[in-house]
Amino acid sequence: MTLGLVIALAAGPSSVLAQTPAPSAAGSAVFSAVDVSNFPEIHAYLVVQDEAGQHLAGLAPEAFALSENSAAVGGVAVLEAELGVQVVFVLDATTAFKTRDANGNSRLDYIRQALTDFLKTDFREVDDLSLLASEELQIAHVSAAAPVSDALNRYAPQFTGAADPWALLNSGLNFAADVPPRPGMRRVLVFLSNGLPATSALADAVARAQAAQVQIHTVFVGPDGALDTAGAQALRQLAAQTGGRDLFLQGPAALAPIFETLRQQRQQYRLTYRSRLNETGQHTLTARVQVAGGGSLTVPPTVFQLRVEPPVVSLPNLPASVSLAEVGLEYPLPVQVTFPDGHARRLQTTELLVDGQPVDTRPEENSAAVTWPLAGYTVSLTRTLQIRVIDELGLAAESRPAEVWVEALPALELTTAADVAADQVPGLTVWLLALAGVIVFAGVAGGGVLYWRRRTAARPPAVVGAGLPAPIFDPKVTLPLAPVTAGRRRPLPQLHFSRRNARPRQMGRAYLEIVEAGGGEAPREGIELGARLCIGRDPQLAEAVFPDRSVSRLHARIEEVRPGSFQIYDEGSTSGTWVNFNQVAGGGCPLQSGDLINLGRVQLRFKARLPAQAGHEG
């Protein structure tokens, strides 16, 4: 039968979000995301398009002017990159999908052909794609074309449609609103349906899409005479209020405008700068973009949340006492700085205070440790130590006061009367005891004090012990300092890393072939199966680890239920466990050699080496 023409949305393809202003003669620009995960370094993602909705390429860094809370931002680095799109296709396959044309092609065949062409020519590995039908989820969050093509070929609809199309749409929004693999990726949902019932659910769906910044494109699947029905009008309103296109399925080429929109939304500008914000709360980012011909685009402000707290500083492993005879005249102290807000940042200054006075100040590039100078200590006393830091945002912090007993060298204890009075009773007591001991020693020797002084006046003083001069008992003479050799310095604490012992690779009855490993440093070789294997994202819970967002911490397990027979179980994962694109129920699913297993973006193939033995083990 003859189908109608494409009906374009009045707002145009450049209306990405409901709050996005209509494009001017120079184009439009809008923030897609503000990433503060590496604060104080902030990444702002910006979509810049011309009046036709095409990406404006090649803008120089000086074309962008950023303001943070109305204050100009300097030192902005600009990167033009292909970030990809996170797109969800939702098929509400009613009887209208199986109607055929004069050549015997059904409307579902049109959709299959259009998606297959898109996967062959326009799909990129930076994209994230999910496919949902009225019967069940077909594929979730994959970045490869092969699993999607496989799911399309396997899809065999009942052509009954969803019992509640609004519930099906909300399921698609759940996948579209998931955290994308990369910050700044545009979120898109394509809803193909014969119409939506006109209920209050329309306002709820629009509000959800706008809050998650999901652009919804709708495709009416049905006869051209039904374009004025209430269901078709509801589709049109859904697209108009979320910034998407409203199309009518004429043939495989009818979806081309949507695929062109996806191509244009992959390219974005990433603006990177170092923030000076130092307060917790909501903050506003605005921008202006200079374009060719002297025109400029005003970017609507975007609001982002930030938590900022002062650092916490301490002196770890501080000893209770320090002896100058052991450590020498300088004592290195490691400084430990943590950030309760989770945002590590540079330190502007690090300062060591002893008895309230600064004794060592370190600049930004050398603040991991300070040095405690001990050369000026002539008597043994308790000293109070503190560390004060100021970070790059101007936030200051001090450690708790800590007391350390400092034991001076013995030669430094014999000093003048003025120093003894200044240092109170401990120094006086030591002086008197030392003087009494020397007098007794001189009397026992039989020489007497005067005889000893005459003898020493006639020759140089003898060296006693470890380099100390012979005692002189003239109260007007202060003993010279004993030569001090550099003592042992305590090394700064070091971090030691350990790795789990790798077990020797053994060949089992079956193994898993890695078809798609997802993101991160996941295994690329086959995984041998034993009696039990747990699969997930958390190495503490799983033996086979796939560090991908789409994989749950503990996602699934595979057990050998009898010799050579394996069964897979879902462990309550978020995106489910799928075997040959059928979701694994609570009772598990037996595995046959060649079965395809999907865990989020991870895809595995089960391979058996030995045939299963009949019967169960006793």
Side-chain angles (χ1 to χ4, degrees), residues 195-514:
L196 287 168
T199 66
S200 59
L202 173 63
D204 295 337
V206 169
R208 281 197 64 195
Q210 291 177 347
Q213 296 189 349
V214 177
Q215 184 184 64
I216 300 180
H217 303 283
T218 60
V219 181
F220 179 74
V221 181
D224 52 3
L227 288 173
D228 293 330
T229 62
Q233 291 177 5
L235 284 176
R236 188 175 298 111
Q237 293 176 35
L238 179 64
Q241 296 181 41
T242 58
R245 289 178 176 268
D246 170 38
L247 304 178
F248 176 48
L249 185 65
Q250 180 185 13
L255 300 183
I258 293 178
F259 300 145
E260 176 61 25
T261 300
L262 297 180
R263 279 194 295 271
Q264 295 303 322
Q265 292 183 349
R266 285 193 187 104
Q267 293 287 338
Q268 294 191 41
Y269 288 94
R270 188 185 73 181
L271 312 181
T272 302
Y273 67 95
R274 203 133 186 110
S275 175
R276 298 294 298 172
L277 297 173
N278 59 9
E279 293 182 355
T280 296
Q282 286 189 341
H283 303 277
T284 303
L285 190 65
T286 57
R288 289 189 65 83
V289 183
Q290 296 292 327
V291 295
S296 66
L297 303 175
T298 299
V299 184
T302 185
V303 177
F304 60 94
Q305 187 73 24
L306 192 62
R307 174 173 164 240
V308 185
E309 296 180 14
V312 175
V313 61
S314 63
L315 289 167
N317 304 319
L318 192 65
S321 62
V322 171
S323 172
L324 272 68
E326 295 180 1
V327 302
L329 301 182
E330 290 186 346
Y331 188 63
L333 295 171
V335 178
Q336 181 175 351
V337 181
T338 59
F339 296 89
D341 53 27
H343 301 306
R345 44 194 180 266
R346 297 191 295 259
L347 297 179
Q348 201 173 73
T349 57
T350 303
E351 195 172 46
L352 173 63
L353 307 177
V354 179
D355 296 334
Q357 300 299 317
V359 297
D360 187 24
T361 301
R362 297 297 176 96
E364 171 188 323
E365 63 273 9
N366 190 19
S367 57
V370 292
T371 298
W372 183 8
L374 303 172
Y377 299 146
T378 59
V379 294
S380 299
L381 283 178
T382 297
R383 306 289 178 176
T384 302
L385 275 66
Q386 269 186 297
I387 284 289
R388 177 192 297 156
V389 299
I390 302 176
D391 68 17
E392 62 177 293
L393 303 179
L395 298 176
E398 289 186 355
S399 66
R400 293 182 177 180
E403 294 186 343
V404 178
W405 169 260
V406 180
E407 183 179 349
L409 289 171
L412 299 179
E413 299 289 351
L414 299 177
T415 182
T416 64
D419 291 333
V420 171
D423 288 310
Q424 303 300 326
V425 178
L428 179 61
T429 303
V430 172
W431 189 89
L432 292 175
L433 290 175
L435 181 60
V438 172
I439 293 174
V440 171
F441 175 80
V444 173
V449 175
L450 295 177
Y451 174 77
W452 185 88
R453 290 186 62 183
R454 286 194 214 85
R455 299 276 295 176
T456 55
R459 65 185 179 189
V463 177
V464 180
L468 291 175
I472 301 175
F473 302 105
D474 190 339
K476 298 181 180 180
V477 178
T478 300
L479 294 182
L481 300 180
V484 180
T485 58
R488 299 186 306 275
R489 295 196 177 190
R490 301 182 181 179
L492 298 179
Q494 298 181 1
L495 298 176
H496 301 278
F497 299 93
S498 62
R499 300 181 63 182
R500 296 174 63 184
N501 295 327
R503 292 177 293 181
R505 187 178 180 87
Q506 299 178 354
M507 306 294 285
R509 292 188 177 95
Y511 66 98
L512 297 176
E513 179 183 84
I514 311 297

Side-chain angles (χ1 to χ4, degrees), residues 558-575:
I558 299 177
E559 292 186 358
E560 189 176 16
V561 295
R562 59 179 179 273
S565 294
F566 292 83
Q567 188 148 332
I568 187 168
Y569 302 88
D570 184 74
E571 294 285 3
S573 64
T574 301
S575 59

